[in-house]
Amino acid sequence: MIYIKMHGRLGNQFFQYAFARTLAEQRQDQITIDFSNIEEESAIDPYGGWENSLQYYNISKDTVIGSVMYTKMQRLAVLFRKHGFRMYRQFDKGSDNEVRFNEQIIDKLANYGILIANGFHEYTDLPLGDLILDGYFECPKYFAAFDTMIRNEFTPKYAVQNKNKVLYDKICCSESVCVTIRRGDFIYKAGVAKAANLCTKEYFYAGIEYMYQKIREPQLIVFSDDIPWVQENMKFPKGTLYENGSDPVWEKMQLMSACKHFVISNSTFSWWAQYLSTYKEKIVVAPDKWRREGYDGHSLYDEKWKLIPVK
């Protein structure tokens, strides 16, 4: 069995599932997803979008929702990681201390079938038997061999809603540029904001200017979790269109990924929108760093992207 100890919302869940699905195909195995972390987050933040976001997609019908079943040795390995880090941080008090600790134990845990990578890690000689995925696995290399399968499974179960058909048609019939402005916990949670609040107004304006240099008659489509703030505080060219901001997560992703070009935030949700786009000549603008501290996101970047400096 391939177990996923699921973390995060849709963008994060896509990465974790994609890696698990690849392993399941390679090992001819099944997937069980444990959403207990998500349920705990939802209890704390009931309006924060914490849910099983995969339920809206055509993932493998063999996938089971359940609990991780640890072997005795795996339980001991989990305890080693937990208590080992408590001791380690007494000596390494830097903001990235957990990243450095995990780098030291990542292969040791893999020997027991526990995979904890956040970015790309070259896992070799994984043991037979059950595997437990307890990381974010944010890198397309993990599922590159099954790219077509993953894209097919990440199509939503539902057609574009009637209220969005005019916007969807405009996206499909123009040189549409998806501009995604992430706010939410990037602004309101102090710890998250310190690490991830990178994309300023100036970043987005520079990205849009670049699009106008490269594309004839670009059609800007702005997406955000705080559209009222965006409309009140940011200035976009005449004719810019806005998603209403209240669409369900699958609908928002469906609209975004239908666009041809992208000015993304340092967000996995933004990342998947550009990745799922099928437009061959797409232009992607991204911030030149993903986070100020912790996992740096380097394994998410594509060499074709245009990078805009951020502080």
Side-chain angles (χ1 to χ4, degrees):
M1 185 66 70
I2 311 295
Y3 291 101
I4 308 174
K5 188 71 172 175
M6 189 63 81
H7 301 275
R9 287 166 283 204
L10 179 62
N12 301 127
Q13 292 180 28
F14 269 1
F15 275 113
Q16 292 161 74
Y17 175 82
F19 184 32
R21 187 73 174 90
T22 296
L23 290 170
E25 282 294 301
Q26 292 171 337
R27 297 163 70 100
Q28 291 299 290
D29 212 334
Q30 290 183 299
I31 299 171
T32 292
I33 306 178
D34 183 335
F35 282 99
S36 57
N37 288 332
I38 310 302
E39 292 165 1
E40 291 174 8
E41 292 286 356
S42 180
I44 298 168
D45 182 14
Y47 302 106
W50 300 99
E51 63 174 346
N52 168 12
S53 298
L54 298 179
Q55 66 184 299
Y56 307 118
Y57 291 88
N58 290 296
I59 65 172
S60 171
K61 294 179 180 179
D62 294 330
T63 301
V64 175
I65 308 301
S67 299
V68 173
M69 303 295 290
Y70 297 92
T71 66
K72 182 177 180 180
M73 292 304 297
Q74 286 173 334
R75 288 190 180 279
L76 289 172
V78 170
L79 287 173
F80 164 74
R81 181 189 184 190
K82 179 179 179 181
H83 295 294
F85 177 60
R86 286 180 179 175
M87 295 178 61
Y88 179 84
R89 67 185 181 186
Q90 299 301 314
F91 304 96
D92 181 351
K93 300 183 183 297
S95 59
D96 294 342
N97 55 8
E98 188 170 6
V99 173
R100 288 187 288 274
F101 175 71
N102 285 340
E103 287 173 350
Q104 295 181 34
I105 66 170
I106 192 168
D107 287 318
K108 294 181 178 67
L109 291 182
N111 290 334
Y112 296 99
I114 300 175
L115 313 185
I116 64 167
N118 286 331
F120 183 69
H121 182 74
E122 189 73 53
Y123 284 109
T124 57
D125 299 323
L126 290 173
L128 299 175
D130 296 343
L131 298 177
I132 299 170
L133 276 59
D134 194 4
Y136 286 86
F137 310 103
E138 294 179 358
C139 181
K141 291 181 181 179
Y142 283 119
F143 50 89
F146 295 92
D147 173 80
T148 300
M149 179 186 72
I150 295 301
R151 289 177 182 273
N152 288 338
E153 294 192 14
F154 287 170
T155 55
K157 295 177 179 179
Y158 318 105
V160 172
Q161 296 179 343
N162 287 334
K163 65 175 183 176
N164 286 320
K165 284 186 175 178
V166 172
L167 177 61
Y168 182 74
D169 288 343
K170 186 68 173 179
I171 288 171
C172 295
C173 297
S174 67
E175 287 291 332
S176 49
V177 178
C178 170
V179 182
T180 50
I181 301 172
R182 168 78 176 266
R183 286 180 56 77
D185 55 356
F186 276 25
I187 303 297
Y188 304 116
K189 288 188 177 180
V192 177
K194 181 181 177 183
N197 185 19
L198 297 171
C199 297
T200 62
K201 295 179 186 178
E202 289 70 28
Y203 160 75
F204 290 107
Y205 295 154
I208 291 167
E209 181 181 358
Y210 180 79
M211 290 296 183
Y212 270 84
Q213 293 171 3
K214 296 295 181 179
I215 302 168
R216 183 180 180 183
E217 298 183 0
Q219 172 61 65
L220 301 186
I221 318 287
V222 177
F223 296 83
S224 177
D225 51 3
D226 194 350
I227 286 292
W229 182 93
V230 171
Q231 290 178 316
E232 184 175 342
N233 292 278
M234 297 186 69
K235 296 180 180 180
F236 294 101
K238 184 178 180 180
T240 296
L241 300 177
Y242 299 83
E243 182 253 351
N244 64 32
S246 63
D247 289 313
V249 65
W250 57 267
E251 176 81 344
K252 190 184 293 282
M253 180 62 77
Q254 186 164 216
L255 293 170
M256 289 168 60
S257 61
C259 292
K260 294 182 173 67
H261 311 286
F262 299 84
V263 179
I264 69 172
S265 299
N266 53 321
S267 154
T268 54
F269 194 84
S270 290
W271 189 96
W272 277 103
Q274 64 81 31
Y275 182 83
L276 293 173
S277 170
T278 58
Y279 188 60
K280 301 296 184 183
E281 305 299 324
K282 67 184 171 187
I283 299 172
V284 178
V285 170
D288 69 344
K289 67 175 70 172
W290 206 253
R291 296 176 69 87
R292 292 191 183 94
E293 57 187 44
Y295 163 59
D296 64 11
H298 67 276
S299 57
L300 290 168
Y301 283 77
D302 188 296
E303 61 182 11
K304 296 179 182 178
W305 289 3
K306 168 64 178 178
L307 302 184
I308 302 292
V310 293
K311 297 181 180 180

